[in-house]
Amino acid sequence: MGNYFPLKKVTPQGGSLSPILANMALNGIEKELGKVFYSNKNGEIDKRNCNKHKINYVRYADDFIVTADSIEILIQVREIISDFLAERGLQLSEEKTCISHISQGFDLLGWNFRKYQGTLLAKPSKNSQENILQKIRDVIHRGRTWSQDRLIANLNPIIRGWALYHKHAVSSDVFNRLDHIVWGMLYSWAKRRHSNKGKHWISHRYWHKIRNKSWTFASGKLILETFSNTKIERFRMAKLEKNPYLDRGYFEEWQERRRNFFPQTKQTTIIQFFC
């Protein structure tokens, strides 16, 4: 005990074991916050009745946020979490950790959470949008000499997967914007292949009217997916008062609804942390 041994193997970031280790290392933060901010006179944690500073803690693997009613409280929260991590040989990322007001918003798991005129909305973050556009741009660049069929086959899983992930957020305007940008990329791809042809010839060669929708990038039976074709659906969480042992029918119905949603996945101030 107390001896350190050099590791010959490490867990790659993004691997299946990485979030498990992150959860193991970070478990206990909420308890530390509870001792300071919502303990009753007997020293018992009573978040429902003693949480006067509106402290709330939400974590997904190694990404987490803490909400509070003032910046001063959040600075205190940051110190508590820093001390908690230091005991485990970890520290907060200075670059990614920030304190912001809910009216300014914050990014978490690819979404931007922000209040607009008093209404909290979750939208795909700008960084997530830039990443998907760069991925599409790279595929189109690699496919400069590909056939249209091959290009569509490579783009469809990328577009479909990103759209399904964000279809539960407020994404309609973002989807339309991305479709417009991707159209421009594809037109440049087609124009490069036929530099001596006019725009009407190019448009009739690669875009067609399918199912009463004009300007569909298609070849034979392959049709390019578009972001805006993905229907926006609001995901309903399971009811907390339901018991999986007593209300089996409810949870079977909820699981089926979840599979359909995931085919294949006073003002408040917010602090966002990344380890």
Side-chain angles (χ1 to χ4, degrees), residues 232-255:
I232 303 297
E233 298 182 38
R234 298 290 176 252
F235 181 72
R236 292 181 295 171
M237 298 296 292
K239 296 180 179 179
L240 296 179
E241 65 270 17
K242 296 292 184 179
N243 188 313
Y245 297 100
L246 302 178
D247 305 293
R248 189 175 185 85
Y250 170 82
F251 279 93
E252 289 177 350
E253 179 185 351
W254 181 78
Q255 287 289 356

Side-chain angles (χ1 to χ4, degrees), residues 114-128:
R114 180 181 170 187
K115 269 194 175 182
Y116 297 85
Q117 297 180 349
T119 302
L120 179 64
L121 299 179
K123 299 182 179 181
S125 67
K126 291 183 178 179
N127 187 52
S128 180

Side-chain angles (χ1 to χ4, degrees), residues 178-189 203 207 215 217:
L178 295 181
D179 283 339
H180 177 73
I181 296 175
V182 172
W183 185 93
M185 295 180 187
L186 294 173
Y187 184 82
S188 297
W189 173 87
S203 63
W207 282 269
W215 294 98
F217 193 77

Side-chain angles (χ1 to χ4, degrees), residues 73-84 92 273:
I73 295 297
L74 288 175
I75 292 175
Q76 186 179 353
V77 167
R78 183 168 58 185
E79 294 175 355
I80 295 171
I81 294 178
S82 295
D83 294 340
F84 176 89
L92 292 173
F273 300 101

Side-chain angles (χ1 to χ4, degrees), residues 84-100:
F84 176 89
L85 295 176
E87 295 178 359
R88 290 155 176 76
L90 302 173
Q91 62 181 10
L92 292 173
S93 169
E94 295 294 335
E95 179 183 354
K96 296 181 179 179
T97 301
C98 66
I99 298 178
S100 63

